[in-house]
Amino acid sequence: MNSAFRPVLIAVLALAGFFVPTLLGGSGAVYSACVLIAIFAVMSYGLDTVVSDLGEVSLAHTVFFAVGAYTTALLSTGPGFGPIATLLGALVVVSLIAAALGYITLGLREFAFSLVTYAVAVVGANLAQNWSFLGGSDGLRGIPAFNLSLGPLAFSAKNDQELWPIAYILLLIAIYVVYCFRRSRLGQAAMMSHLNPRLATMSGIDLQRTRLQVFLFSAPVTASAGWLYAYQRAYVSADVLETYFLILMLTAVVLVGRRVLLGPLIGVALIQVQEKFLSFGGYTDKIILGSVLVITLAFLPKGLLGLFQPLTGLFARRPSPVSETRL
Amino acid sequence: MNLTQQLINGLVLGHAYALVAIGWTVLLGVARLVNFAHGQMYMLGAFVSWYTISRLGLPYVVAIPIAMLAGVIVGYIMQRVLLQLTLKQDLVSIMIVTLGFGYVIHGCAALFFGSTGQILETPLSLQDIYIGDLWFTYQDIAIIITAILFFIALKYVIDRTRIGRLTRMVAEDPQLAQLAGINVKRVYLAVFAFEGAAVALAAALVAPRTPILTSMGFEEVIMTFVVVVLGGIGSVLGSYVAGLALGLFTALFGALVSPAYTTAAAFAVLIAVLVLRPGGLAANPGGR
């Protein structure tokens, strides 16, 4: 593709994406679904960098999501901070927690790493249910509507339709950040230490440092989704730590294909559309989501895109470079 | 607080933890595999036992093998689906798939058994024993005896028998074991079926101690993690000792500090071990 033409095309696509809810009828349910898709996609992008690039399975990302939501709830209901201050607060708190967890798990790999991060998720849920500071089993209620005023400019979002621009901007930022990450030195170091740790070490990459940095990069991305989720729901309770979010994130990351930039977004969108518009009831939806995750990994190692690969081969004139990040 | 009573509770709890962790110990130590659906398989074992006793009206001794059979079937199906990933040793995918399986098992169980809490009553759990002001049930005695016998049998099988030797060979080097004529696939299937049976047996024995819920799997498995890590991943004897230690710790912590935070406290122990003894995590293939 012509390199000068590419940024224009991306800009047009990004702009067109904003009008997707309008094109789909613009009803309340559509806006609500779109806002949730954007939020959950941002949540998944955080995990995506750890699973797809670093090659580790972090099960603590629901905690990062919850930290974002709880910090927002505490700061907006207590001291009455606005969205920018709560976002900054959420990012600071989650970075501290991710740094502590990253430090503890520095020497752990594969199952030991996953095991400890899983334990963090269970303990996080345990704390949220019992600790009165976090509202206990009732959770924290009364989060004010998203209200941003910068000088003469004021923006207020009282429903999902009004919240959509914020959710969409957050989504675009998350996608751009992950795109930059994959092209950055850190992203490449992560990929190298994933594919061949010995070679990475030989080429001067500090494995533990890379792992810690990727972890620290991914946690705020997921937490920023928690930040917006708190405003979207107007209350936060321990159910933000449910396994559902973990399975949703993991499925979104692997469903379309790993290291596909729009993969998590498309994955989340497919799952949410099924759950919102083609639901078979909570438990059956659970079975569907879990089965999709199992089937994708066990039988479609390249994700849904792998299914279409034989077709793309028909049209390709020459093999595309493997390392390129597909859009 | 009655200290002796808490020690008895801790002892029972410890054997319960060790018993529940047996399947994981073998899976991890012998086959170098993990199963994040362990908690949900425990839940399934408990509910199958409950269903067999309270709905089908069959005796407890029949319910145990039925629960174990269900465990074997689930374990077998899981490993059938996982087989290609196992042979590739794709641990990242294996972990995620088992999580997905756990989610599916939870959904199926909630559909079939409902989402309300149940109590698994057995003839043994209803018979109390009082010695002075100390109290326990015959179920508690059954847990301790079964755990001890199971551990002795397991240690014997792994160390002394042909099956144990084959599984240890597969754990050491699957490719080489295959070259040596071992049917690696069958060993993996057997190990997973064993894990299913072991956790179902543990559930049938341990679950009567507390109310059962189809959503309990998520949290249930954490004690197993702590036992396996504390015991030096994959070590059979280590798991038993770690189970006991953790049981005593949680019983005393629950009585002295707060019963709501026992999971968090157990996790704090896990973190302490990780920070103080990071080398202790090095898995010993073919776990002894």
Side-chain angles (χ1 to χ4, degrees):
Chain A
M1 194 189 297
N2 189 334
S3 59
F5 182 59
R6 202 179 144 97
V8 180
L9 182 74
I10 291 173
V12 169
L13 277 177
L15 199 64
F18 180 76
F19 297 101
V20 164
T22 321
L23 290 174
L24 292 172
S27 68
V30 167
Y31 269 104
S32 168
C34 286
V35 167
L36 283 180
I37 288 171
I39 292 174
F40 294 155
V42 173
M43 171 181 85
S44 308
Y45 273 109
L47 183 67
D48 189 28
T49 55
V50 176
V51 173
S52 305
D53 297 83
L54 200 60
E56 296 283 358
V57 186
S58 161
L59 307 175
H61 271 62
T62 44
V63 175
F64 299 152
F65 181 66
V67 166
Y70 269 104
T71 311
T72 306
L74 286 171
L75 290 178
S76 61
T77 53
F81 287 162
I84 293 187
T86 53
L87 177 62
L88 289 177
L91 296 184
V92 169
V93 174
V94 85
S95 300
L96 290 174
I97 290 176
L101 185 59
Y103 176 74
I104 291 168
T105 55
L106 208 57
L108 306 179
R109 292 211 63 189
E110 292 182 334
F111 66 81
F113 176 78
S114 304
L115 212 121
V116 174
T117 52
Y118 185 96
V120 169
V122 176
V123 171
N126 202 262
L127 276 181
Q129 275 152 7
N130 292 304
W131 196 11
S132 54
F133 176 65
L134 298 177
S137 51
D138 292 337
L140 297 165
R141 289 171 191 282
I143 298 171
F146 192 97
N147 198 332
L148 201 64
S149 41
L150 289 170
L153 294 171
F155 176 84
S156 171
K158 289 181 201 67
N159 55 38
D160 286 336
Q161 184 170 355
E162 290 170 359
L163 203 59
W164 167 243
I166 303 293
Y168 189 64
I169 291 170
L170 186 68
L171 175 66
L172 287 183
I173 294 174
I175 294 175
Y176 180 69
V177 163
V178 170
Y179 174 74
C180 293
F181 165 81
R182 297 227 160 110
R183 296 167 72 94
S184 72
R185 192 184 282 262
L186 177 62
Q188 284 166 2
M191 207 53 206
M192 232 170 130
S193 55
H194 168 195
L195 294 175
N196 193 334
R198 283 172 51 132
L199 188 68
T201 314
M202 283 176 217
S203 67
I205 291 170
D206 183 338
L207 292 183
Q208 295 198 338
R209 206 175 130 181
T210 306
R211 289 162 46 83
L212 189 60
Q213 282 174 337
V214 174
F215 208 59
L216 280 174
F217 166 81
S218 80
V221 176
T222 298
S224 66
W227 164 76
L228 196 58
Y229 193 56
Y231 285 108
Q232 196 266 342
R233 288 216 311 185
Y235 77 96
V236 173
S237 67
D239 59 8
V240 291
L241 283 147
E242 272 185 8
T243 342
Y244 167 72
F245 293 102
L246 181 62
I247 304 288
L248 172 67
M249 270 192 264
L250 286 169
T251 312
V253 165
V254 300
L255 181 58
V256 176
R258 272 177 256 189
R259 273 175 66 75
V260 178
L261 190 57
L262 295 183
L265 172 61
I266 300 169
V268 165
L270 289 174
I271 298 163
Q272 287 299 309
V273 166
Q274 186 269 313
E275 287 176 4
K276 293 277 176 299
F277 302 105
L278 305 163
S279 173
F280 297 92
Y283 297 132
T284 313
D285 286 353
K286 257 191 172 84
I287 300 172
I288 294 174
L289 182 58
S291 307
V292 166
L293 181 59
V294 169
I295 291 167
T296 308
L297 280 169
F299 304 109
L300 301 168
K302 287 180 180 163
L304 289 178
L305 275 185
L307 283 178
F308 299 105
Q309 221 162 36
L311 292 178
T312 53
L314 288 176
F315 303 104
R317 289 195 190 148
R318 56 185 174 153
S320 58
V322 182
S323 61
E324 198 181 70
T325 305
R326 287 164 288 171
L327 190 71
Chain B
M1 183 195 77
N2 185 336
L3 186 68
T4 325
Q5 178 70 58
Q6 291 310 328
L7 288 178
I8 290 176
N9 290 351
L11 219 57
V12 176
L13 211 54
H15 280 88
Y17 290 152
L19 194 59
V20 176
I22 274 191
W24 243 77
T25 305
V26 172
L27 204 61
L28 195 54
V30 179
R32 318 279 328 240
L33 290 172
V34 286
N35 176 13
F36 279 96
H38 187 80
Q40 280 78 14
M41 286 169 82
Y42 172 86
M43 176 273 292
L44 191 70
F47 268 92
V48 171
S49 313
W50 167 80
Y51 190 84
T52 316
I53 295 170
S54 69
R55 292 291 180 268
L56 302 181
L58 293 170
Y60 185 43
V61 282
V62 181
I64 297 177
I66 290 180
M68 287 172 75
L69 185 68
V72 167
I73 293 171
V74 171
Y76 185 84
I77 293 174
M78 254 172 100
Q79 186 52 34
R80 274 306 304 179
V81 173
L82 279 171
L83 204 55
Q84 289 311 317
L85 296 173
T86 310
L87 295 176
K88 273 195 289 181
Q89 296 277 301
D90 183 353
L91 212 52
V92 165
S93 297
I94 291 174
M95 287 189 291
I96 305 180
V97 171
T98 57
L99 268 170
F101 260 112
Y103 205 60
V104 173
I105 294 173
H106 177 189
C108 293
L111 264 186
F112 192 74
F113 299 115
S115 55
T116 44
Q118 303 291 352
I119 301 216
L120 173 56
E121 279 180 347
T122 73
L124 297 175
S125 68
L126 296 172
Q127 291 189 44
D128 300 321
I129 302 170
Y130 290 97
I131 301 175
D133 55 352
L134 302 176
W135 165 80
F136 48 95
T137 65
Y138 276 101
Q139 189 76 34
D140 297 341
I141 296 177
I143 290 172
I144 293 180
I145 293 174
T146 314
I148 292 173
L149 290 180
F150 204 161
F151 268 95
I152 292 173
L154 183 67
K155 185 103 181 88
Y156 176 80
V157 170
I158 289 181
D159 287 353
R160 302 282 168 85
T161 63
R162 185 167 171 272
I163 298 174
R165 199 164 49 82
L166 291 186
T167 23
R168 279 189 285 130
M169 279 172 78
V170 172
E172 184 70 38
D173 191 333
Q175 276 93 18
L176 214 57
Q178 188 138 30
L179 280 179
I182 297 173
N183 189 338
V184 175
K185 288 181 190 171
R186 195 184 288 172
V187 171
Y188 279 132
L189 284 169
V191 168
F192 246 84
F194 169 79
E195 132 97 340
V199 75
L201 171 69
L205 282 162
V206 177
R209 285 176 56 86
T210 46
I212 52 172
L213 274 166
T214 45
S215 58
M216 71 184 177
F218 175 58
E219 196 164 328
E220 194 59 50
V221 73
I222 191 172
M223 290 302 182
T224 299
F225 288 175
V226 181
V227 168
V228 170
V229 172
L230 272 182
I233 289 173
S235 158
V236 173
L237 200 63
S239 280
Y240 178 74
V241 177
L244 266 190
L246 185 67
L248 290 168
F249 172 79
T250 44
L252 292 175
F253 184 90
L256 291 170
V257 189
S258 154
Y261 290 111
T262 44
T263 316
F267 176 68
V269 172
L270 177 73
I271 294 298
V273 172
L274 287 176
V275 174
L276 298 175
R277 257 188 71 209
L281 275 171
N284 172 22
R288 297 296 183 107

